[in-house]
Amino acid sequence: MMKKEDLRIIFMGTPEFAVETLRALVENGYQVVAVVTQPDKPVGRHGSVLQPSPVKQFSVQHGLPVLQPAKMKDPDFVEQLRSYHANLQVVVAFRMLPEVVWGMPEYGTFNVHAALLPQYRGAAPINWAVINGETETGVTTFFLDHDIDTGRIIMQKRFAVPDDADVEYVYDGLMHLGAEICLETLELIVAADGHPEATAQDDSQFTVLNAQLKPAPKIFKETCEIDWHMAAKQVYDFVRGLSPYPGAWTTLVNGEGKKTVLKIFKTRKTGRACSEPEAINVEGKHLYIGTADEELEILELQMEGKKRMSAADFLNGMREKIKNEIIFHSKYNK
């Protein structure tokens, strides 16, 4: 009968999201023989300072060996990985692995993914779930195979998404839920002597149910531009799905024709009819913008070079004539 001490685990991850799971492994007495994370990232004005990943910082503090390969197929790295004689690998928020890596351990490699697979396969599942207005998401553990996020599912845990939740709230909730499901998955693996039951993902069930499989591709700056010609609910979800990072943005044009990028962090649905998309309505300290079907109130925003602020403070800082002349531009009508 296997015991938890029999597992020799290599952990792979990079951001803060992965630290919570690594901490759970360490605090619950699992044997983490090495940690793999991204190379230190150049930061600062001239890129002269190297910033270690959150996972590396935690690992160093707890005396865990750290590997930082530039290329996962590098023969020297593969041999170094093999030298730890791990029989299981755990992956959280890391890059795609080649088969020579994920296929190495006796008990395989499982990933903690921040979505209910097969929905939201890809690099940004939390953002896209909120952008699409989901009322529920979750975490999944699954064994890695040749294609991204398609392996056999071991476990899933669900997480409710309130209508006013932004990405920060969901990220934090799934980060802790991810640590929980990892520990429960390890318990299953131990109880099953290294070979727990796992279910193949079946995409065909969505065809039968006439449902849509939604992807979660990487998000770029251009992805984050607001289209005010969408329905208010879509814009509302889009903003909270990118708040606080990387932030939904739009282009502000003042009465003199000067353009400024403006990030929008928080809005409120009003149910009030509007004249047209992008139409500005300023009432006292309240700023409203038209969408395809109703006005949205802008609650928190940030101008280039300024701090995040309330819409009231934004309006207070503007001259009256500009307040009446500002317009917003959407990618829809460029």
Side-chain angles (χ1 to χ4, degrees), residues 77-191:
F77 164 69
V78 172
E79 284 308 307
Q80 189 177 14
L81 198 65
R82 203 183 306 275
S83 71
Y84 285 98
H85 303 290
N87 50 22
L88 180 69
Q89 291 176 156
V90 177
V91 180
V92 184
F94 197 54
R95 64 176 107 170
M96 187 175 179
L97 303 180
E99 183 174 2
V100 68
V101 173
W102 60 256
M104 186 183 297
E106 176 185 1
Y107 303 133
T109 300
F110 77 81
N111 180 271
V112 178
H113 186 72
L116 297 173
L117 292 173
Q119 292 288 17
Y120 297 108
R121 294 171 176 150
I126 304 176
N127 296 95
W128 285 108
V130 180
I131 288 172
N132 288 334
E134 302 289 358
T135 58
E136 183 181 64
T137 184
V139 287
T140 302
T141 50
F142 69 97
F143 286 114
L144 295 189
D145 64 10
H146 293 91
D147 298 315
I148 297 177
D149 300 335
T150 60
R152 294 174 297 127
I153 292 174
I154 310 167
M155 290 186 69
Q156 292 188 320
K157 294 177 80 72
R158 297 179 178 274
F159 182 83
V161 182
D163 182 65
D164 61 349
D166 60 15
V167 159
E168 187 172 43
Y169 173 90
V170 182
Y171 180 99
D172 187 64
L174 295 186
M175 180 173 67
H176 291 90
L177 197 62
E180 289 180 22
I181 199 173
C182 180
L183 293 178
E184 292 180 22
T185 298
L186 289 171
E187 290 171 3
L188 282 181
I189 290 173
V190 170

Side-chain angles (χ1 to χ4, degrees), residues 10 24 32 44 48 55 94 112 151 156 209 222 248 254 262 289 298:
I10 284 180
V32 180
S48 57
V55 163
F94 197 54
V112 178
Q156 292 188 320
L209 296 172
E222 55 268 26
N254 68 14
L262 192 73
I289 303 180
I298 308 303

Side-chain angles (χ1 to χ4, degrees), residues 38-316:
Q38 295 277 38
D40 294 357
K41 184 178 180 180
V43 294
R45 191 167 185 177
H46 304 290
S48 57
V49 179
L50 292 179
Q51 176 72 40
S53 73
V55 163
K56 179 180 178 179
Q57 293 178 48
F58 178 89
S59 300
V60 170
Q61 290 170 3
H62 291 80
L64 302 174
V66 177
L67 309 180
Q68 296 177 273
K71 296 180 179 180
M72 299 301 290
K73 289 184 178 180
D74 181 271
D76 291 338
F77 164 69
V78 172
E79 284 308 307
Q80 189 177 14
L81 198 65
R82 203 183 306 275
S83 71
Y84 285 98
H85 303 290
N87 50 22
L88 180 69
Q89 291 176 156
V90 177
V91 180
V92 184
F94 197 54
R95 64 176 107 170
M96 187 175 179
L97 303 180
E99 183 174 2
V100 68
V101 173
W102 60 256
M104 186 183 297
E106 176 185 1
Y107 303 133
T109 300
F110 77 81
N111 180 271
V112 178
H113 186 72
L116 297 173
L117 292 173
Q119 292 288 17
Y120 297 108
R121 294 171 176 150
I126 304 176
N127 296 95
W128 285 108
V130 180
I131 288 172
N132 288 334
E134 302 289 358
T135 58
E136 183 181 64
T137 184
V139 287
T140 302
T141 50
F142 69 97
F143 286 114
L144 295 189
D145 64 10
H146 293 91
D147 298 315
I148 297 177
D149 300 335
T150 60
R152 294 174 297 127
I153 292 174
I154 310 167
M155 290 186 69
Q156 292 188 320
K157 294 177 80 72
R158 297 179 178 274
F159 182 83
V161 182
D163 182 65
D164 61 349
D166 60 15
V167 159
E168 187 172 43
Y169 173 90
V170 182
Y171 180 99
D172 187 64
L174 295 186
M175 180 173 67
H176 291 90
L177 197 62
E180 289 180 22
I181 199 173
C182 180
L183 293 178
E184 292 180 22
T185 298
L186 289 171
E187 290 171 3
L188 282 181
I189 290 173
V190 170
D193 289 331
H195 302 285
E197 290 186 12
T199 306
Q201 295 187 41
D202 182 11
D203 294 2
S204 65
Q205 63 177 307
F206 289 89
T207 303
V208 172
L209 296 172
N210 198 28
Q212 180 184 3
L213 271 178
K214 301 170 186 176
K218 186 175 181 179
I219 289 176
F220 299 94
K221 181 180 178 181
E222 55 268 26
T223 312
C224 303
E225 185 177 4
I226 299 170
D227 180 359
W228 298 104
H229 291 251
M230 296 191 298
K233 176 66 163 65
Q234 290 177 287
V235 178
Y236 172 81
D237 291 337
F238 187 79
V239 168
R240 67 193 184 96
L242 296 167
S243 179
Y245 182 83
W249 61 274
T250 190
T251 303
L252 171 71
V253 184
N254 68 14
E256 300 167 350
K258 181 181 178 181
K259 295 182 179 181
T260 304
V261 171
L262 192 73
K263 284 192 174 183
I264 309 292
F265 293 104
K266 192 173 183 180
T267 65
R268 182 179 69 85
K269 292 172 288 182
T270 65
R272 300 177 3 164
C274 62
S275 57
E276 61 179 341
E278 302 178 11
I280 301 298
N281 181 14
V282 177
E283 297 180 5
K285 295 183 178 181
H286 298 274
L287 172 63
Y288 303 93
I289 303 180
T291 67
D293 57 358
E294 67 179 67
E295 286 185 337
L296 273 184
E297 182 177 5
I298 308 303
L299 299 179
E300 294 182 20
L301 47 76
Q302 181 179 16
M303 294 184 68
E304 280 184 296
K306 304 288 186 180
K307 294 182 179 180
R308 179 171 172 173
M309 66 182 76
S310 67
D313 288 340
F314 168 73
L315 292 173
N316 286 339

